[in-house]
Amino acid sequence: MVKITVLSENTVGLPLGLSGEWGLALLVETAGTKVLFDTGERGNILANAAALGINLQEVDALVMSHGHYDHSGGMRDFLRLRGRLPVYVHPDFFALHYVSQPREQYIGVPFRQEELESLGADFIFEQEPQQIAPGLWVSGEVPRKTTFEKGDSRLFSLENDNKVADPFRDDMSLYCVTDEGVVIILGCAHAGVVNIVEHARQVTGIDRIYGIIGGTHLGPASKEQQEATIAYLKNLDLKFLAANHCTGLPVAARLAAIFGPTFHFAPAGASFTLPLKEGGRS
């Protein structure tokens, strides 16, 4: 089984004094290992975890889905609390990520690599899939094979001082193998949800996808990408879907209508133990 707790998200789901922020952080517990997946925007994961009775000093490893501020902004505060631990990132994690709208600005990691290392980050730069606990994989770089998953046209990066469409080579996910199939844990899915799912099948050798949780980045995607992705998800026969953060409220509401009890809202404070018990409860 795998237990996933939402420590940071745009919204708050429990009246426990939690704080919402534009960002995402998930605590993943499986095979006796605790992995923090992203750190949110401003370090609110520390207070949110305390309110939920979670001790972040027990985290065994940190995995960063990609180098955007809303996923990496809490790294400094977390490392100050936790101290030295392995931090899995793609080699392009510190790439120069920018957005063009509503105004042009830098949206990459807000800290220097050297500062984070001084606080205890033992960076493991990994481009290939890697199993970091029994049945738990970091995806590594996800191959782009679909034609309709074109990403967000507002996002660009600087390469040799030139503006280029952000390739998001650093976009990584987690794949957790359970008795009933693979659970896919997304950061922002800049690589495309379909590409990520197909890569998960290849990496784990398991065709059955039990569930998906995290940011799908379908909110800013084109109508064509939204429709093709939803059609693909329908064919997966998912037993669990919890799309949050960059999915956007309109798309999340639509997914809730389409997938019914299979869909779960996943604000800060939500916790799911997968596979679900009979009746759809975690």
Side-chain angles (χ1 to χ4, degrees):
M1 294 194 302
V2 56
K3 182 178 180 181
I4 304 168
T5 303
V6 184
L7 296 181
S8 172
E9 205 265 340
N10 311 358
T11 58
V12 172
L14 294 172
L16 296 175
L18 305 175
S19 296
E21 60 184 9
W22 182 264
L24 189 65
L26 307 171
L27 180 66
V28 180
E29 301 175 70
T30 186
T33 302
K34 296 182 179 180
V35 174
L36 181 62
F37 187 53
D38 289 342
T39 62
E41 180 188 12
R42 299 181 180 177
N44 287 331
I45 58 170
L46 272 63
N48 286 356
L52 295 170
I54 293 171
N55 183 2
L56 291 180
Q57 291 179 315
E58 296 177 350
V59 169
D60 297 296
L62 172 62
V63 177
M64 300 303 301
S65 67
H66 64 297
H68 269 173
Y69 76 99
D70 51 333
H71 295 252
S72 62
M75 290 183 75
R76 181 165 59 189
D77 289 341
F78 168 70
L79 289 168
R80 282 174 173 165
L81 173 72
R82 173 60 181 83
R84 192 155 301 281
L85 85 168
V87 181
Y88 295 88
V89 298
H90 185 277
D92 282 2
F93 178 66
F94 289 99
L96 299 176
H97 297 293
Y98 285 82
V99 67
S100 61
Q101 297 175 356
R103 66 179 183 275
E104 187 172 305
Q105 60 181 327
Y106 173 75
I107 56 171
V109 180
F111 313 113
R112 290 176 59 88
Q113 178 180 336
E114 293 81 1
E115 178 186 7
L116 298 175
E117 288 174 332
S118 73
L119 294 171
D122 283 333
F123 284 108
I124 300 172
F125 293 93
E126 192 58 70
Q127 192 168 355
E128 299 299 321
Q130 182 168 344
Q131 189 170 200
I132 61 173
L136 182 63
W137 293 81
V138 177
S139 69
E141 189 171 323
V142 177
R144 314 300 164 90
K145 296 184 177 180
T146 60
T147 58
F148 59 86
E149 292 181 298
K150 301 183 184 298
D152 190 334
S153 61
R154 302 170 303 160
L155 304 177
F156 67 93
S157 62
L158 291 183
E159 296 184 0
N160 299 320
D161 292 328
N162 295 317
K163 293 181 181 180
V164 298
D166 200 323
F168 280 111
R169 290 180 290 264
D170 56 323
D171 183 77
M172 302 199 302
S173 300
L174 289 176
Y175 306 148
C176 187
V177 177
T178 75
D179 290 340
E180 295 187 31
V182 180
V183 175
I184 297 176
I185 305 165
L186 307 171
C188 257
H190 289 292
V193 173
V194 179
N195 284 327
I196 292 169
V197 171
E198 291 303 311
H199 187 54
R201 286 169 159 167
Q202 180 181 3
V203 168
T204 63
I206 297 172
D207 187 66
R208 174 78 181 107
I209 306 300
Y210 179 83
I212 299 173
I213 182 172
T216 66
H217 215 74
L218 287 176
S222 67
K223 194 69 174 176
E224 176 194 8
Q225 182 173 338
Q226 289 180 6
E227 295 304 320
T229 302
I230 290 173
Y232 176 87
L233 293 175
K234 286 180 179 178
N235 288 329
L236 289 180
D237 188 28
L238 296 170
K239 301 303 180 186
F240 174 83
L241 176 60
N244 60 9
H245 183 42
C246 53
T247 302
L249 294 178
V251 176
R254 187 174 174 211
L255 292 174
I258 292 171
F259 289 92
T262 298
F263 185 87
H264 300 259
F265 290 100
S271 184
F272 307 96
T273 299
L274 306 173
L276 296 172
K277 296 177 182 177
E278 192 171 338
R281 295 179 178 271
S282 62

